[in-house]
Amino acid sequence: MAGTPPPQTIPEATVARLPIYLRSLQEFAADENATISSGRLAELAGVNAAKVRKDLSYFGSYGTRGVGYDVRQLVVEIRRELGLTHDWPTAIVGMGNLGRALANYAGFSERGFSIAALLDTSDDKVGTVMGGTKVSHLDDMEGLVERHSISIGIIATPAIAAQDVAERMVGAGIESILNFAPTVISVPEGILVRKVDLAVELQILSFYQERRATDAGSAAG
Amino acid sequence: MAGTPPPQTIPEATVARLPIYLRSLQEFAADENATISSGRLAELAGVNAAKVRKDLSYFGSYGTRGVGYDVRQLVVEIRRELGLTHDWPTAIVGMGNLGRALANYAGFSERGFSIAALLDTSDDKVGTVMGGTKVSHLDDMEGLVERHSISIGIIATPAIAAQDVAERMVGAGIESILNFAPTVISVPEGILVRKVDLAVELQILSFYQERRATDAGSAAG
DNA sequence: CTCTGTGAACTCTTTCACAGCA
DNA sequence: TGCTGTGAAAGAGTTCACAGAG
């Protein structure tokens, strides 16, 4: 009985949207006890209202019929679901252009991710300071991971180095990896990898753009 | 009969994987007339073999039973599907850390995307050279878009500026936008937008990482 | 009367499993 | 015998549509 009111499984697709809802709610700012309807949140998040309601229902968020959702409460609930109630120390490996951009990206710390370690193998970079953090040598990763309880690693190296870095991360105790290198990395079971490939996104755009040109005359909008 | 062998619709999910296959094939390098099986390609791309076969079947790619796919031919076919048979001039708006990283990112040009224009509004940046291209003022975008036939725009500005930039892009004739700003932009119908939010990816990792800690004892792998 | 919460229908995607060609 | 190509089954995710709370 009673037992499991919010089914222990939030669909992946929903999880991927929670950060967007969170961001939208925070932009929506809102005074102390503002409420927001699924329709309005949907608009801000760029999805449709039914989806918002269904998504929020998975973790038993109580909206009020005829009124909407309490913004403050919703923010708290989503943050809890996302595990954003505490800070996540991260390590970035690869201090090229992208790594430097990431190290300087304010958006990370704003959302609960601190940069606990920057790592590279090049003597040119080790010892310099980027985004307020000193760059350490990759060989020192293990100690840093332990000392700072780092559980998320970010790979911003060239493709060729990515697999090796991933293995070192796993060896150092990192359990989740965000991979920006344009290659597939393989990791042991239980290690979670997400990837972002900047050029892949462009190629997807290219597909639809090309098709638009090819499907002559088919209304684009 | 014969008529329309490749059904005119390639599923979105498949389109999103084609760039990965392409990259995998190119890494696989291969001498003149190498072949590759769906199983091997699946391994390289990090998916399963049935998916590879189904994906490739959508555009009528002829593999050879008992042998596999001709690597060279497959590369040509995928590139054609993705519209990568010609160069795509792009414009990057926002020369902060991320914009600079993108401007210097070799992966774009390697895959057929050239940077035809870099744009910013800050006097500090306009006139400087980044990644071999001179930074122009955002006000000059329209002329540059026309002159270089730019159809893809990349937004790398702070969130606050993104909607305005998107509107200027559309006004200048750009039809596809890759948005790195952490906000939803709205555009007229017919304009294609894809978004990449670096912090969102971290938040998704955070969800699963947190859950792993919470689901005490449940095997992670 | 408004707006949530949610079964049910529908659509998209993945996976299975095997016929058939080389 | 090995591997592709593909229907058909299974599984996810989305949307509909409406009962019912406030």
Side-chain angles (χ1 to χ4, degrees):
Chain A
M1 352 81 230
T4 46
Q8 204 54 303
T9 54
I10 299 186
E12 271 188 54
T14 294
V15 171
R17 281 187 297 267
L18 292 182
I20 313 290
Y21 296 152
L22 183 56
R23 200 178 63 198
S24 301
L25 289 168
Q26 284 165 341
E27 276 174 21
F28 184 74
D31 49 286
E32 274 298 284
N33 36 10
T35 59
I36 191 169
S37 67
S38 60
R40 183 82 182 97
L41 178 51
E43 202 181 305
L44 294 172
V47 301
N48 81 33
K51 204 181 268 179
V52 168
R53 292 199 299 277
K54 178 133 300 201
D55 283 345
L56 298 184
S57 77
Y58 287 119
F59 50 98
S61 233
Y62 310 135
T64 306
R65 290 163 201 243
V67 179
Y69 300 86
D70 179 284
V71 173
R72 276 223 302 178
Q73 184 191 345
L74 201 48
V75 166
V76 169
E77 296 240 13
I78 295 176
R79 300 191 94 233
R80 176 166 51 234
E81 281 303 327
L82 288 174
L84 298 177
T85 52
H86 56 83
D87 177 72
W88 290 95
T90 63
I92 302 177
V93 178
M95 289 293 110
N97 291 300
L98 180 60
R100 281 199 295 273
L102 296 172
N104 284 291
Y105 181 42
F108 286 164
S109 58
E110 275 163 20
R111 306 190 214 174
F113 300 89
S114 63
I115 291 163
L118 298 177
L119 302 152
D120 204 298
T121 52
S122 150
D123 288 341
D124 294 354
K125 287 164 188 154
V126 173
T128 63
V129 174
M130 293 180 184
T133 304
K134 204 169 102 183
V135 178
S136 304
H137 194 282
L138 184 55
D139 292 343
D140 299 333
M141 180 162 60
E142 192 153 353
L144 287 162
V145 166
E146 193 166 348
R147 187 148 62 257
H148 293 102
S149 305
I150 295 169
S151 53
I152 296 181
I154 299 175
I155 300 179
T157 66
I160 191 79
Q163 181 62 41
D164 176 59
V165 168
E167 285 166 18
R168 282 164 175 252
M169 282 182 168
V170 172
I174 281 175
E175 296 176 294
S176 295
I177 296 175
L178 181 55
N179 179 29
F180 286 95
T183 188
V184 172
I185 58 179
S186 46
V187 295
E189 261 198 82
I191 304 295
L192 188 71
V193 176
R194 290 189 68 85
K195 57 188 163 53
V196 177
D197 186 326
L198 311 177
V200 162
E201 297 299 323
L202 279 181
Q203 289 173 70
I204 296 170
L205 280 181
S206 159
F207 172 89
Y208 292 105
Q209 179 77 39
E210 182 80 356
R211 169 139 314 202
R212 171 152 48 198
T214 305
D215 296 0
S218 84
Chain B
M1 350 86 235
T4 45
Q8 202 56 302
T9 55
I10 299 185
E12 270 187 55
T14 294
V15 171
R17 281 188 296 267
L18 292 181
I20 313 289
Y21 296 151
L22 183 57
R23 199 179 63 197
S24 301
L25 290 167
Q26 283 164 342
E27 277 174 21
F28 185 75
D31 49 285
E32 275 299 284
N33 36 10
T35 59
I36 191 169
S37 68
S38 59
R40 183 85 181 93
L41 178 52
E43 203 180 307
L44 294 172
V47 301
N48 80 34
K51 203 180 273 179
V52 168
R53 293 201 298 277
K54 171 88 39 170
D55 282 344
L56 298 183
S57 77
Y58 287 118
F59 49 97
S61 235
Y62 310 136
T64 307
R65 289 161 201 245
V67 179
Y69 301 85
D70 180 283
V71 173
R72 277 222 303 178
Q73 185 190 345
L74 202 47
V75 166
V76 169
E77 297 240 12
I78 295 177
R79 300 191 95 235
R80 175 165 52 230
E81 281 302 329
L82 288 174
L84 299 177
T85 52
H86 58 84
D87 177 73
W88 291 95
T90 63
I92 302 177
V93 178
M95 289 293 111
N97 291 301
L98 180 60
R100 281 200 295 272
L102 296 172
N104 283 291
Y105 181 41
F108 286 164
S109 59
E110 276 163 19
R111 309 196 212 166
F113 300 89
S114 64
I115 292 164
L118 298 178
L119 302 152
D120 205 296
T121 52
S122 148
D123 288 342
D124 294 354
K125 286 162 188 155
V126 172
T128 63
V129 174
M130 293 180 184
T133 304
K134 202 168 104 183
V135 178
S136 303
H137 194 281
L138 183 54
D139 292 342
D140 298 333
M141 180 161 61
E142 192 154 352
L144 287 161
V145 166
E146 192 166 349
R147 187 147 62 259
H148 293 101
S149 306
I150 294 169
S151 53
I152 296 180
I154 300 175
I155 300 179
T157 66
I160 191 76
Q163 181 62 42
D164 176 59
V165 169
E167 285 166 19
R168 282 163 174 253
M169 283 181 169
V170 172
I174 282 176
E175 295 176 297
S176 295
I177 295 175
L178 181 55
N179 179 29
F180 285 95
T183 189
V184 172
I185 57 179
S186 46
V187 296
E189 262 199 82
I191 304 295
L192 189 70
V193 176
R194 290 189 68 85
K195 58 189 161 55
V196 176
D197 185 326
L198 311 176
V200 163
E201 296 299 322
L202 280 181
Q203 289 173 70
I204 296 171
L205 281 180
S206 159
F207 172 89
Y208 292 105
Q209 180 78 38
E210 181 80 357
R211 168 138 316 201
R212 169 150 51 197
T214 305
D215 297 359
S218 85

